Amino acid sequence: IITTFLLAYIVFTIASLPASQVVSRIALPKNIQIAGVNGSIWNGNLQQLAVDNTVINNVTWQINPSSLWRLSLVVDAQFGGNRFDGPVGKATVSGLISQQVKVTDAEISVAANDVVTQLPMPVPITASGMVNLVLPEFELGKPVCQVAKGTIDWKNARVSAFQEEISLRDLNANLGCEQGALVVEINPQNILGLEFKAYVRNFKKVSGTGHLKPGANFPQKLKPALPFIGRADSQGRYRLKK
């Protein structure tokens, strides 16, 4: 009984510590910055989390109490909102103590234009709509993942190029993990005739190959951009490589 009481006392004492005191003692990587830490380790809030060029606002978390008794740590997190710029979503993170980090039931929505501005485009393009990521299961591994299952959807995709607004209808991709690399494979059933498979082998390097094969449904307003990609091969495909 005494041991149980002492263990419970220690756990709840740590959990009630101000989050700012704990976070200030953590050596974060140089590419990660945080601001506005409030609440406790048990239930806290970050006003802003910046990772490289990505800024996430209004991050809140809550530790699952039952996970403490299993000597584990399960955190339910949410971020963003109608009053905040940047990504919106939620996720459950576990394995932080054992360093076998897993993310489950993640749902993230990002403005399409925030994604496009991070990509090397042959011509200036702006995008509208939201890109939605559903990640039922992700397990951190070397170099990036051990398990990854999910989808990316861009409903009613629209871009503006050459002073024209162009509808791309729906674009989607599947997520997977191959030999430790996170794989993003675009569904070829799209009006662009786009097939592309990208590999994330570390969080700063993305590579991939594919092609663009304009068909009967290819948007006429995008055809002036094709010469910027290169020359078509004998099958009418424009090779893409990153």
Side-chain angles (χ1 to χ4, degrees):
I1 294 175
I2 294 174
T3 302
T4 302
F5 173 79
L6 290 175
L7 179 62
Y9 176 79
I10 292 171
V11 168
F12 285 102
T13 298
I14 294 174
S16 61
L17 283 173
S20 58
Q21 292 185 14
V22 178
V23 171
S24 64
R25 290 173 170 79
I26 298 175
L28 296 173
K30 292 182 179 180
N31 65 324
I32 298 178
Q33 296 181 336
I34 58 176
V37 184
N38 299 294
S40 67
I41 294 299
W42 187 274
N43 194 336
N45 172 267
L46 286 178
Q47 291 182 6
Q48 191 173 89
L49 168 66
V51 182
D52 293 324
N53 295 323
T54 302
V55 177
I56 303 173
N57 292 300
N58 188 36
V59 181
T60 62
W61 71 85
Q62 184 173 15
I63 294 176
N64 187 322
S66 63
S67 68
L68 297 175
W69 300 114
R70 299 194 300 268
L71 298 180
S72 178
L73 187 63
V74 178
V75 181
D76 295 319
Q78 296 181 330
F79 49 89
N82 294 333
R83 298 186 295 108
F84 301 92
D85 295 329
V88 178
K90 65 173 186 175
T92 297
V93 183
S94 60
L96 295 173
I97 295 178
S98 63
Q99 296 185 344
Q100 294 179 335
V101 180
K102 296 181 180 180
V103 178
T104 56
D105 301 324
E107 297 179 9
I108 303 171
S109 295
V110 184
N113 199 54
D114 290 346
V115 177
V116 169
T117 55
Q118 303 294 324
L119 302 176
M121 305 301 293
V123 294
I125 287 178
T126 58
S128 61
M130 300 295 292
V131 176
N132 300 306
L133 166 66
V134 176
L135 193 65
E137 185 178 4
F138 177 86
E139 184 173 345
L140 199 64
K142 294 183 179 181
V144 173
C145 61
Q146 184 171 328
V147 178
K149 298 178 182 178
T151 58
I152 299 175
D153 292 296
W154 184 6
K155 300 290 186 183
N156 299 317
R158 305 185 72 86
V159 298
S160 295
F162 303 107
Q163 299 182 338
E164 297 279 0
E165 187 175 67
I166 305 158
S167 173
L168 306 180
R169 301 182 188 175
D170 294 344
L171 296 175
N172 52 72
N174 293 317
L175 297 179
C177 188
E178 294 182 9
Q179 298 180 346
L182 179 64
V183 179
V184 182
E185 186 170 9
I186 294 177
N187 187 334
Q189 303 300 319
N190 58 76
I191 67 169
L192 296 175
L194 174 63
E195 294 187 32
F196 196 83
K197 193 172 185 178
Y199 295 87
V200 182
R201 292 188 170 88
N202 65 58
F203 291 105
K204 291 185 178 181
K205 182 179 180 181
V206 179
S207 61
T209 58
H211 64 260
L212 188 70
K213 186 177 181 180
N217 294 322
F218 189 84
Q220 294 293 321
K221 295 176 182 179
L222 272 183
K223 287 188 175 180
L226 294 176
F228 291 93
I229 300 175
R231 292 186 178 182
D233 62 16
S234 59
Q235 300 181 48
R237 299 178 302 183
Y238 292 82
R239 292 290 179 179
L240 302 173
K241 186 176 181 179
K242 178 172 172 38

